[in-house]
Amino acid sequence: MRGRDAPPPASGRDADLPPGVIQGAKDGDEEAWRLLYDELHRPLLGYLKGKGAFDPENLLGEVFLRLAKSIGRFSGDFAQFRAYSYTIALNCVRDDARRRGARPDTVFMAPDELPGLGTGQSAESEALSELGLEAYRAEFAQLTPDQRQVLYLRVVADLSVEETARVVGKSKGSVKQLRRRALEQLRDSLGDTGVRR
């Protein structure tokens, strides 16, 4: 836990994590790994489910195994590590789909099925939480895979635009455009009963 004299965390996202948790994990500190797991496992599991992983719980283990193997090469703060963990998760989904001869894609999940959805403070969270279950199912399926990917990373993972851009390998401008177009499409499709502006 953070001591009285410790500097404040770099962002609100790592407010509950002590400083040095990444370095502790690099040094093999079990408590540091427990803290990272506690912070990341629910949203990562939601992301894997949203990506249509065949066995998301098993794949989550693979994500953490890859994180443990590669953390020595990682450089950055916890916010960057979070984004890095989603890059690893996306690679695990793709590798698993390739092994099974399947095509990975984001599948429908109702908002209440998404671990780590948060309190609905972002525009994306508000938009998705206001959709009725059937409307959500039909309209979300109409989005492009890139649009669904961006909304899942922004909503389920609560990543920033910059972090999302790193995960999907696109520019921040492209991520903003994908998000904007996805929300506009949902608004247009649902009219007055759908998403609030």
Side-chain angles (χ1 to χ4, degrees), residues 32-195:
W33 273 109
R34 186 192 64 74
L35 290 170
L36 288 175
Y37 181 83
D38 287 350
E39 187 71 21
L40 295 172
H41 81 277
R42 283 180 44 83
L44 280 172
L45 182 60
Y47 179 70
L48 293 170
K49 288 179 178 180
K51 289 299 293 175
F54 177 71
D55 184 352
E57 287 83 4
N58 187 51
L59 209 52
L60 181 64
E62 176 68 20
V63 171
F64 276 97
L65 181 62
R66 290 188 190 187
L67 285 171
K69 286 181 178 179
S70 65
I71 196 169
R73 297 185 304 272
F74 174 79
S75 176
D77 61 14
F78 176 69
Q80 293 165 321
F81 187 76
R82 263 177 107 243
Y84 177 64
S85 71
Y86 283 92
T87 302
I88 298 285
L90 179 59
N91 289 337
C92 284
V93 169
R94 289 177 175 161
D95 291 348
D96 182 59
R98 235 185 324 272
R99 279 192 298 268
R100 292 183 300 103
R103 184 174 173 267
D105 194 15
T106 306
V107 297
F108 164 77
M109 287 179 69
D112 60 350
E113 294 178 292
L114 300 174
L117 186 60
T119 59
Q121 297 302 309
S122 71
E124 293 88 350
S125 296
E126 280 186 36
L128 294 180
S129 67
E130 289 177 13
L131 298 176
L133 184 60
E134 290 309 312
Y136 179 87
R137 185 184 310 272
E139 300 309 326
F140 198 74
Q142 299 304 312
L143 299 176
T144 67
D146 282 345
Q147 289 171 332
R148 291 192 302 264
Q149 168 86 332
V150 165
L151 285 185
Y152 266 88
L153 288 170
R154 295 283 287 127
V155 175
V156 177
D158 191 30
L159 296 184
S160 68
V161 171
E162 184 175 278
E163 293 163 343
T164 300
R166 278 199 299 266
V167 172
V168 298
K170 296 184 182 297
S171 70
K172 289 191 291 184
S174 294
V175 166
K176 288 178 182 177
Q177 189 84 314
L178 284 164
R179 174 197 159 277
R180 184 183 59 75
R181 286 184 179 157
L183 291 176
E184 283 177 359
Q185 184 174 332
L186 290 173
R187 287 180 187 119
D188 291 345
S189 298
L190 294 165
D192 293 336
T193 60
V195 181

